[in-house]
Amino acid sequence: VKRLREIADRHGLKIVEDAALAAGAADYGQPVGAFADATIFSFAPYKPLGSVGAGGMVTTNDDEIALRLRLLSGYGHIPERTAATPGHQFHLDEGYNAPLDPLQAALLTVKLPYLREWTERRRAVVRGYEERLRGCGVRLPVFRPESAPTFRQYTILVEDQQAAYTELLQKGVEVVLHYTPAIYKQPVYANRKLPGSDRLPVTERVTSSLVCLPVTPDLSEEQAAYAAEVVRGLHVSGTSQARPGSAGRAGVPGT
Ligand SMILES: Cc1ncc(COP(=O)(O)O)c(C=O)c1O
């Protein structure tokens, strides 16, 4: 986003950053959102900062955007204006009824002080995976040195996605195949023949070989080691049917 910032500034553009999965992450020493005009965070369950229901937040340093967001989320109503004319209720915009549910807000207020510590634990889980999976034929994500990511899962590329998925599930590992099939192959889009969707070999390769290993702050070192051993076992013992070395010549998104 830092590089996008430079381009946006040259052309007078605004940046809205999707940080739904990135609460706790940083880049170039700045917390996520620092380079955007507005940044959205999701508080859906299983996000790095998750509630037990639906919810989200937008951060901005821009007073104008902040006011507009308040208006949009609260029926376009602005309580401050009523001071001059008691009892009157002014609506400055056609807004929505979209506040953060107070119950979720209360829960998130309790969780927020732990975000830094829990992000560190997520990173430690990933370091454990990296150490155990390096050199076994699995393709691991690579991160820019300036970035300090957070993780909702650890996405790797394996030789045989179906074999790895089934084996991990059978052995009690909470593996998921996020992003498979690719979005343009989802039934909702499949018939639309989206432009260029027949020419995405990297996406094809990645979506057909990725598996997402669990990453949570409370995942113990033993649990992560066990998951990594199952993956290693598949590759080292050659249970996989895929041709050796076919796993992922492309990188995998980190989060
Ligand atoms: C990258 C990304 N953006 C946006 C969203 C949507 O968030 P929400 O479910 O809170 O609307 C998600 C959640 O699945 C996400 O992972």
Side-chain angles (χ1 to χ4, degrees):
V1 180
K2 186 170 186 265
R3 285 170 65 196
L4 286 177
R5 179 78 271 160
E6 288 156 18
I7 298 168
D9 286 346
R10 268 206 306 281
H11 298 278
L13 300 170
K14 299 270 188 210
I15 299 177
V16 178
E17 183 174 1
D18 181 346
L21 281 168
D27 203 11
Y28 292 95
Q30 305 281 331
V32 66
F35 300 107
D37 295 284
T39 302
I40 68 105
F41 294 86
S42 169
F43 298 141
Y46 306 112
K47 293 288 187 286
L49 183 60
S51 65
V52 292
M57 174 176 79
V58 188
T59 56
T60 181
N61 260 343
D62 182 319
D63 287 340
E64 227 174 280
I65 295 176
L67 174 63
R68 178 118 175 95
L69 286 165
R70 281 207 188 94
L71 290 175
L72 285 176
S73 68
Y75 282 128
H77 178 235
I78 180 156
E80 295 87 56
R81 289 286 174 96
T82 62
T85 45
H88 289 207
Q89 300 199 0
F90 292 99
H91 294 262
L92 307 191
D93 208 336
E94 290 181 335
Y96 306 89
N97 179 22
L100 181 59
D101 172 44
L103 208 58
Q104 307 306 333
L107 177 74
L108 289 160
T109 305
V110 174
K111 289 179 83 174
L112 186 60
Y114 296 94
L115 181 61
R116 204 179 292 260
E117 182 189 329
W118 288 346
T119 303
E120 282 310 322
R121 286 210 224 150
R122 288 176 190 275
R123 290 174 182 154
V125 168
V126 166
R127 280 197 297 275
Y129 281 142
E130 281 172 341
E131 278 160 26
R132 291 188 162 83
L133 292 173
R134 202 171 284 133
C136 79
V138 172
R139 184 84 178 190
L140 307 180
V142 177
F143 307 104
R144 281 185 293 107
E146 313 83 28
S147 72
T150 187
F151 301 88
R152 187 269 301 266
Q153 81 252 347
Y154 187 58
T155 306
I156 58 173
L157 301 184
V158 297
E159 289 188 350
D160 186 331
Q161 184 189 52
Q162 284 302 302
Y165 179 69
T166 313
E167 181 89 349
L168 282 159
L169 268 192
Q170 272 171 3
K171 295 199 165 161
V173 178
E174 229 179 88
V175 61
V176 285
L177 302 182
H178 287 302
Y179 328 117
T180 301
I183 194 159
Y184 54 90
K185 287 197 165 165
Q186 293 294 335
V188 60
Y189 293 128
N191 294 329
R192 293 205 203 164
K193 307 251 179 307
L194 297 175
S197 60
D198 56 339
R199 282 175 278 115
L200 296 169
V202 175
T203 307
E204 290 298 321
R205 203 159 59 228
V206 171
T207 52
S208 60
S209 59
L210 66 82
V211 295
C212 307
L213 299 178
V215 178
T216 57
D218 57 355
L219 195 76
S220 71
E221 213 181 311
E222 293 73 33
Q223 287 171 316
Y226 173 72
E229 281 319 308
V230 176
V231 175
R232 256 193 104 83
L234 274 165
H235 286 75
V236 173
S237 69
T239 2
S240 161
Q241 299 301 306
R243 131 185 99 78
S246 65
R249 262 159 264 143
V252 183
T255 54

